[in-house]
Amino acid sequence: MNLGGPGFRFEDRRAGMGVPPRPVGGQGEYKGDELWSNVVCGDFDNDGFADAFVTQIYDLPYAHALLYRNVGGARFQEVGVAAGVRVFNTYGAAWADFDDDGSLDLAAMGQDGANERGDKEAKLKPRLHLFRNPGAAGNWIRFDLRSAAGNRIAAGAQVVVKSCAGLMARQVEIGTGSHGQQNDPRLHFGMGAESRPVWVLVRWGGGLSQFLKPTPETGRTHVLIEPVRPAFSIAALRAERKSSLEAEIWVEGTNLEGRAYLWDLDGNGAFERVSGVPRIEAGFPSPGPRFIRVLALDRETAVGLEACVVADVY
């Protein structure tokens, strides 16, 4: 788990989240975590928490894929048999809503079962499985990003959605895993019981960001075209200690007057403060390094630029 800025340390919390480590086998014995080949994530039940489909390799009776349902963001429950998606000896998989009904479906290559070691006549062959999701109870929203430049599907762009459950982020990916499978490049968010229009920030890359106005409705796919860069620029974000646990933070650039400035002062991804000038003074509850981000927006188009800095507060 990524613990966030400014250090961006990771912590292994697998054992406490319902996915215990499994010992690998000795020489010539294939079992445990060494069978895991790929993992693809998607919110198949639209509850707002990303679930995980894990593929397992080798033609063995226990080498079947696993579907981990995210139960509330802190634990996972394996539901592969109940969901009808148990596949054996599979190397890759991908999520995509192939029938556009708002629920993610699953494609996975593999066998319907394991072969007996001595039976050479009735070999089970791998085949492509296309598992249709019969429908999730939760609401959803989806974004189809398009770039006017050479990067036509806006690979690397990120969408952040804020709902009553908190912040969710998805990134446009091209290929994942050891066998290069690709999820649907459209970014799908399960919204649970949320049915109101939601707060959405799109990070297109190169510092270019955009708040969607008006706020988009749930239950729909929204096609987004990369906007023109705004008529101002950011050279750097600076921070300087003023006094104990206080700092002055300012933006350097050109044509910065008349913009709206949104400030994330604790690195949690949410903007807690808004100003009409590119310079603020801020107090902090404790000493230590702080990951600070600013988003400068054109007031009419809601298109802007982002910058960040790590500041030492003491």
Side-chain angles (χ1 to χ4, degrees), residues 240-259:
E240 184 177 86
R241 181 178 184 267
K242 291 285 290 183
S243 59
S244 178
L245 299 183
E246 292 187 348
E248 185 175 19
I249 310 162
W250 69 96
V251 182
E252 293 181 353
T254 59
N255 199 18
L256 296 175
E257 298 304 318
R259 316 299 173 188

Side-chain angles (χ1 to χ4, degrees), residues 172-196:
V172 180
E173 300 170 337
I174 291 185
T176 61
S178 59
H179 289 76
Q181 69 265 0
Q182 179 177 336
N183 289 333
D184 188 340
R186 301 176 301 173
L187 300 180
H188 179 97
F189 295 81
M191 300 299 295
E194 182 70 78
S195 59
R196 300 168 298 178

Side-chain angles (χ1 to χ4, degrees), residues 16-305:
M17 298 184 74
V19 192
R22 304 176 308 162
V24 301
Q27 185 174 1
E29 184 182 12
Y30 306 105
K31 67 177 186 178
D33 283 352
E34 68 175 300
L35 303 181
W36 287 25
S37 173
N38 277 307
V39 57
V40 286
C41 295
D43 187 0
F44 75 84
D45 54 1
N46 283 343
D47 65 350
F49 300 102
D51 311 296
F53 184 78
V54 181
T55 64
Q56 294 200 98
I57 59 174
Y58 302 144
D59 192 1
L60 300 167
Y62 48 83
H64 53 75
L66 304 164
L67 178 59
Y68 284 102
R69 180 175 179 265
N70 191 329
V71 185
R75 285 190 63 80
F76 289 86
Q77 180 182 14
E78 208 285 305
V79 296
V81 172
V85 295
R86 178 156 286 188
V87 185
F88 290 74
N89 191 21
T90 181
Y91 284 78
W95 295 101
D97 183 6
F98 74 86
D99 54 0
D100 275 336
D101 65 352
S103 298
L104 287 178
D105 309 297
L106 179 68
M109 189 73 180
Q111 298 165 192
D112 292 324
N115 291 294
E116 295 297 329
R117 289 296 179 97
D119 186 359
K120 297 183 179 180
E121 299 299 324
K123 279 282 187 181
L124 290 169
K125 303 295 184 182
R127 65 184 182 89
L128 177 64
H129 298 75
L130 185 56
F131 295 111
R132 181 180 179 274
N133 189 335
N139 210 340
W140 59 278
I141 192 169
R142 185 179 297 136
F143 300 96
D144 185 356
L145 275 60
R146 313 278 180 86
S147 174
N151 180 12
R152 298 186 64 182
I153 65 168
Q158 182 189 71
V159 173
V160 181
V161 172
K162 183 178 181 181
S163 70
C164 57
L167 293 176
M168 298 180 285
R170 304 278 189 273
Q171 187 169 0
V172 180
E173 300 170 337
I174 291 185
T176 61
S178 59
H179 289 76
Q181 69 265 0
Q182 179 177 336
N183 289 333
D184 188 340
R186 301 176 301 173
L187 300 180
H188 179 97
F189 295 81
M191 300 299 295
E194 182 70 78
S195 59
R196 300 168 298 178
V198 292
W199 177 103
V200 177
L201 173 65
V202 184
R203 293 188 168 113
W204 290 97
L208 179 65
S209 296
Q210 176 187 18
F211 268 115
L212 298 190
K213 292 172 56 180
T215 52
E217 297 178 354
T218 57
R220 290 181 52 195
T221 297
H222 300 267
V223 177
L224 306 179
I225 308 298
E226 183 176 359
V228 176
R229 296 184 74 86
F232 61 92
S233 66
I234 293 179
L237 179 62
R238 307 288 188 191
E240 184 177 86
R241 181 178 184 267
K242 291 285 290 183
S243 59
S244 178
L245 299 183
E246 292 187 348
E248 185 175 19
I249 310 162
W250 69 96
V251 182
E252 293 181 353
T254 59
N255 199 18
L256 296 175
E257 298 304 318
R259 316 299 173 188
Y261 294 88
L262 283 67
W263 305 87
D264 173 11
L265 301 174
D266 57 9
N268 66 356
F271 296 101
E272 309 93 4
R273 189 164 166 182
V274 180
S275 72
V277 293
R279 183 182 295 262
I280 62 169
E281 292 184 4
F284 299 89
S286 60
R290 302 283 172 170
F291 182 79
I292 300 170
R293 186 193 306 268
V294 66
L295 170 57
L297 285 175
D298 183 286
R299 293 178 181 271
E300 292 185 5
T301 65
V303 175
L305 301 173

